[in-house]
Amino acid sequence: MKITPELLKRYQSNQCSAEEMKEVEEWLHSTADELSNLSEKKLKNMEQYIWQNLEPSNLKNSNTKIISLHRRVVSYAAVAIILFTVGFFTYGYLDNPIQIIDTAYFSDFKSIETQRGQKRTVKLSDGTIIRLNYESEVKVPEQFEGDERVVYLTGHAYFDIAHDPGKPFIIYTQDSKTQVLGTSFDINTSKKEGETKVIVTSGKVAFSEKDQLENLVTLGINDRAVLGPDKTITKSKVDAGKLTSWKDNKLVFDGESLQEVIEVLEPWYNIQVVVENSDLLTEDFKLSINNPSLEIALEELAFLAGFDYSIEGNKVVIF
């Protein structure tokens, strides 16, 4: 008999036959044995990951009580049901309980963050380079284990993935999954717009909604995919080099209004911009500046639009 999430849910609700109950309990005991063999450190990482990723909608529809992973074997069986209920397992793992523990997820993850006005470049153990834009976070393991390389992103980052055909590289955001073997691309999760955008500069990328993998698109060079709040994915051709120029510390504007320019400048330089003449907000700008200081960027914009400005600490006033 094959153990499925539906069977486990029936088991939770005491709706199984005697034969089904016996099969489930034998499976749970074998799963508990595998879980109990994990180190305390790895169990703690699992527990933290589960709590961070459980959603209210999952808990609302589940009769499972959340318990600590640090209790004894009887608790591990309940953990297995929790994981099935909220979708942490896939059908492909059901035939071999030991495979349900993907060490790539639960290795020693560290968090790397940037604040307003900051950018960081990170080199991973496999040679992959990640360039974090401002107000972003990536969670990465000290070493990649298992048959996948998995990281978690919040915010905006550019990835230059080291090629390894035996270990696909997977980036999870809150809403999306991006999988590659070796390529370069940009991922931006916009809280304001509720969108996740992927732009490919080299190679190919498989991009999908995190929980609906059949909703998948394949992207090549200069392709952009946008996962919207309605969970639909739209694909288009763009100038990838221009749209990812931030990674090289280059400001590029191609017809953006002053309002849109300000939305880039404020977190880039960690400033507040006040525009006293609202007519200026609709001015369009086309310019490209390498390694710009705040003063240089403002001088260029002021020359094009004919405005004056003052800098008072972290506040810029345009008039």
Side-chain angles (χ1 to χ4, degrees):
M1 180 184 300
K2 185 170 183 176
I3 306 298
T4 66
E6 288 73 22
L7 178 58
L8 283 174
K9 289 176 183 178
R10 291 208 308 276
Y11 178 83
Q12 284 181 269
S13 305
N14 296 318
Q15 296 176 348
C16 285
S17 66
E19 181 183 0
E20 289 174 329
M21 186 172 294
K22 180 182 176 182
E23 292 285 341
V24 170
E25 289 179 350
E26 287 179 357
W27 181 85
L28 286 174
H29 278 297
S30 67
T31 300
D33 289 340
E34 299 297 343
L35 286 166
S36 62
N37 287 331
L38 294 176
S39 68
E40 279 289 306
K41 196 168 188 178
K42 193 159 287 188
L43 286 170
K44 189 168 183 63
N45 286 331
M46 281 184 65
E47 182 178 8
Q48 182 181 13
Y49 177 82
I50 292 167
W51 278 105
Q52 287 176 345
N53 287 272
L54 286 176
E55 296 181 358
S57 59
N58 289 325
L59 297 178
K60 191 183 298 181
N61 298 321
S62 170
N63 295 321
T64 305
K65 292 182 179 179
I66 305 301
I67 56 174
S68 171
L69 286 170
H70 291 79
R71 298 183 186 176
R72 296 187 181 275
V73 171
V74 65
S75 296
Y76 296 120
V79 169
I81 297 180
I82 295 171
L83 296 175
F84 260 107
T85 302
V86 300
F88 280 80
F89 293 98
T90 62
Y91 286 92
Y93 290 135
L94 292 173
D95 296 328
N96 186 351
I98 194 171
Q99 287 183 297
I100 63 176
I101 306 303
D102 185 341
T103 55
Y105 293 137
F106 305 120
S107 296
D108 299 332
F109 275 80
K110 61 180 179 181
S111 177
I112 301 166
E113 301 179 56
T114 55
Q115 306 301 321
R116 284 171 63 93
Q118 288 184 324
K119 297 183 184 69
R120 293 186 66 177
T121 299
V122 182
K123 186 173 183 179
L124 304 187
S125 60
D126 66 336
T128 291
I129 302 294
I130 303 176
R131 292 179 174 86
L132 278 180
N133 207 348
Y134 49 75
E135 297 182 305
S136 300
E137 177 185 19
V138 64
K139 293 181 180 178
V140 301
E142 295 286 352
Q143 295 289 331
F144 289 111
E145 302 174 10
D147 56 4
E148 292 178 338
R149 296 172 288 169
V150 178
V151 302
Y152 301 87
L153 172 69
T154 302
H156 191 187
Y158 183 87
F159 292 82
D160 190 354
I161 306 299
H163 187 70
D164 186 344
K167 283 189 176 185
F169 198 103
I170 299 173
I171 302 99
Y172 286 104
T173 70
Q174 182 176 353
D175 301 313
S176 70
K177 174 182 178 181
T178 304
Q179 180 168 327
V180 300
L181 292 177
T183 186
S184 303
F185 56 95
D186 183 284
I187 302 180
N188 190 0
T189 61
S190 171
K191 294 180 181 179
K192 179 180 178 181
E193 298 173 357
E195 297 177 337
T196 300
K197 301 176 184 177
V198 174
I199 301 172
V200 179
T201 57
S202 71
K204 289 187 177 181
V205 167
F207 178 66
S208 65
E209 185 186 350
K210 185 171 66 174
D211 299 323
Q212 300 291 332
L213 301 186
E214 66 275 8
N215 184 19
L216 180 146
V217 296
T218 301
L219 307 174
I221 298 174
N222 289 323
D223 282 340
R224 175 172 62 184
V226 180
L227 173 63
D230 60 355
K231 305 304 180 184
T232 60
I233 297 177
T234 56
K235 180 178 173 180
S236 60
K237 283 290 184 183
V238 295
D239 185 337
K242 185 179 293 184
L243 293 178
T244 62
S245 59
W246 66 267
K247 73 183 188 305
D248 301 314
N249 203 34
K250 182 187 293 185
L251 276 174
V252 177
F253 300 110
D254 188 17
E256 282 83 359
S257 67
L258 180 59
Q259 180 63 57
E260 292 169 317
V261 169
I262 289 171
E263 290 174 3
V264 173
L265 296 182
E266 286 186 324
W268 185 295
Y269 295 105
N270 190 23
I271 57 173
Q272 177 192 5
V273 179
V274 176
V275 180
E276 293 188 345
N277 181 358
S278 60
D279 291 339
L280 291 171
L281 293 174
T282 58
E283 289 282 343
D284 293 334
F285 293 88
K286 285 191 176 186
L287 74 157
S288 175
I289 320 172
N290 288 314
N291 299 309
S293 65
L294 174 59
E295 290 77 7
I296 289 175
L298 289 172
E299 282 295 328
E300 292 277 355
L301 294 168
F303 174 78
L304 291 173
F307 62 70
D308 293 315
Y309 67 90
S310 64
I311 301 175
E312 304 166 9
N314 286 343
K315 183 177 180 181
V316 174
V317 179
I318 294 175
F319 50 90

